[in-house]
Amino acid sequence: MRPVVTERADADPFTGSLLRPEELRGSAVVVKFGGNAMVDASLQRTFARDVVELWHTGLRPVVVHGGGPQISAMLDRLGLESRFEAGLRVTTPETMEVVRMVLSGRVQRELVSHINAHGPFAVGMTGEDAHTMTAVRRPAWVDGRPVDIGLVGDIVDVNPGMVRTLLEQGHIPVVSPVARGEDGQVYNVNADLAASALAVALDAERLVMLTDVEGLYANWPHSTEVIEHLTADALEGLLPGLASGMLPKMEGCLRAVRGGVRKAHVLDGRVPHAVLRGVLGETSPGTTVVPDNSPDHDSSTVRPRRPTRRSRTAEGPC
């Protein structure tokens, strides 16, 4: 049965000024929620309301979440090392146990709870469930040399059947980025790349990446000007020079638009209603990536904007 909602939960006047384009109705939108915004209870609640508002407009939102800050905190409590290489968490078997526990046992449950405060919408799952995501061990390179990052996976196959079923029943899937391998191993998957792969498999209209900065900077750290709009080819040329925290996000955006997703947005998750502004606003904040042959093609532009914070936390994988 489809969820029945008797009362709209949001009372924010901002939502009344949004566009509701009819052509988006019924389209899947994959939203990756991560970064330090995840540890801010107020931002979590606002994010949940935004996701439900997307549902109310006729879109089919899917949430893929990270959990880097929570995993790091738990590793510290347990006396286990947190180490990153090439922007990815080095994942030992002991670390993998903590990753699974924190992602599906804590972070996912909190998000499901926040969304379900507005109605019987959210259903939690992981990439392991129904073999939704299959991964292989991901290689990593630092300064041209291979490094061992342990049980970190790269998605090689997505079976979106379970997610599609939940969407057809009117639910909002909340997916933890843990995947199985054909070798029987369980892998920690970067949430940005998991969201990208799922967006392609679902033929999603949009991919939204929430992070801790205002978008892709044109010349960081020398400038805080944000690249507002760029094509896949332009992004591919920039990838080798990106900082490790932004690299998986922009790699995910590139994979998505090359795989058929119409637009990919990188937005500042610290800003309330970033999701609604990105998907339904007249202009999207942050950085938007489109395919090279997109009718929305525009030359790459830079929008000067003073950052709201100076935090430059490099959000790793989970």
Side-chain angles (χ1 to χ4, degrees):
M1 293 180 61
R2 295 178 66 85
V4 177
V5 179
T6 58
E7 183 178 353
R8 293 291 291 273
D10 79 84
D12 194 316
F14 170 74
T15 60
S17 64
L18 296 170
L19 300 176
R20 287 169 171 78
E22 189 63 30
E23 65 269 20
L24 295 183
R25 181 172 293 276
S27 299
V29 175
V30 177
V31 184
K32 185 267 178 170
F33 186 50
N36 289 326
M38 295 190 66
V39 298
D40 185 312
S42 175
L43 288 174
Q44 284 189 31
R45 289 191 293 269
T46 301
F47 171 78
R49 291 170 58 197
D50 282 5
V51 171
V52 172
E53 181 64 25
L54 291 180
W55 186 93
H56 278 301
T57 65
L59 294 170
R60 293 182 171 184
V62 179
V63 177
V64 179
H65 65 85
Q70 294 90 334
I71 292 170
S72 293
M74 181 59 71
L75 289 172
D76 287 344
R77 285 181 59 186
L78 297 175
L80 298 175
E81 181 185 23
S82 289
R83 185 164 62 90
F84 292 84
E85 295 284 358
L88 300 169
R89 184 186 299 277
V90 177
T91 305
T92 64
E94 295 80 9
T95 302
M96 190 67 229
E97 291 183 13
V98 176
V99 168
R100 295 174 83 184
M101 175 180 68
V102 172
L103 290 182
S104 59
R106 177 186 169 189
V107 178
Q108 181 194 96
R109 303 322 306 167
E110 289 176 352
L111 277 174
V112 167
S113 177
H114 285 309
I115 293 172
N116 284 345
H118 303 277
F121 296 109
V123 176
M125 59 179 291
T126 78
E128 296 179 74
D129 295 333
H131 291 183
T132 297
M133 295 181 182
T134 302
V136 297
R137 188 182 291 254
R138 178 184 173 99
W141 299 80
V142 176
D143 297 328
R145 298 181 179 180
V147 295
D148 182 9
I149 54 175
L151 299 176
V152 176
D154 205 2
I155 301 296
V156 293
D157 185 62
V158 178
N159 175 8
M162 178 61 70
V163 177
R164 288 189 187 278
T165 297
L166 291 171
L167 291 174
E168 290 167 0
Q169 293 176 347
H171 293 296
I172 299 174
V174 179
V175 185
S176 300
V178 178
R180 63 178 292 275
E182 292 184 351
D183 57 1
Q185 188 60 259
V186 178
Y187 290 98
N188 178 21
V189 178
N190 178 271
D192 302 310
L193 300 180
S196 174
L198 186 56
V200 171
L202 290 171
D203 298 319
E205 173 74 18
R206 303 286 181 90
L207 170 66
V208 178
M209 302 279 200
L210 296 184
T211 184
D212 293 332
V213 294
E214 295 174 295
L216 179 62
Y217 293 114
N219 189 26
W220 175 256
H222 307 292
S223 170
T224 55
E225 292 179 333
V226 173
I227 299 176
E228 184 178 76
H229 192 282
L230 74 168
T231 63
D233 279 352
L235 174 57
E236 185 175 28
L238 294 175
L239 282 182
L242 297 185
S244 60
M246 186 58 75
L247 182 59
K249 295 170 183 57
M250 302 315 301
E251 180 183 343
C253 290
L254 180 62
R255 292 185 184 187
V257 298
R258 287 259 170 93
V261 177
R262 183 182 171 194
K263 290 183 181 180
H265 306 282
V266 176
L267 308 175
D268 190 343
R270 303 166 302 176
V271 177
H273 300 303
V275 173
L276 290 184
R277 292 178 185 274
V279 177
L280 298 177
E282 291 188 16
T283 59
S284 175
T287 299
T288 298
V289 182
V290 298
D292 297 299
N293 60 353
S294 169
D296 300 305
H297 170 78
D298 190 9
S299 59
S300 299
T301 58
V302 175
R303 182 180 66 242
R305 188 173 62 207
R306 185 177 301 277
T308 54
R309 294 186 188 177
R310 287 293 178 181
S311 170
R312 293 290 178 263
T313 302
E315 181 189 340
C318 294

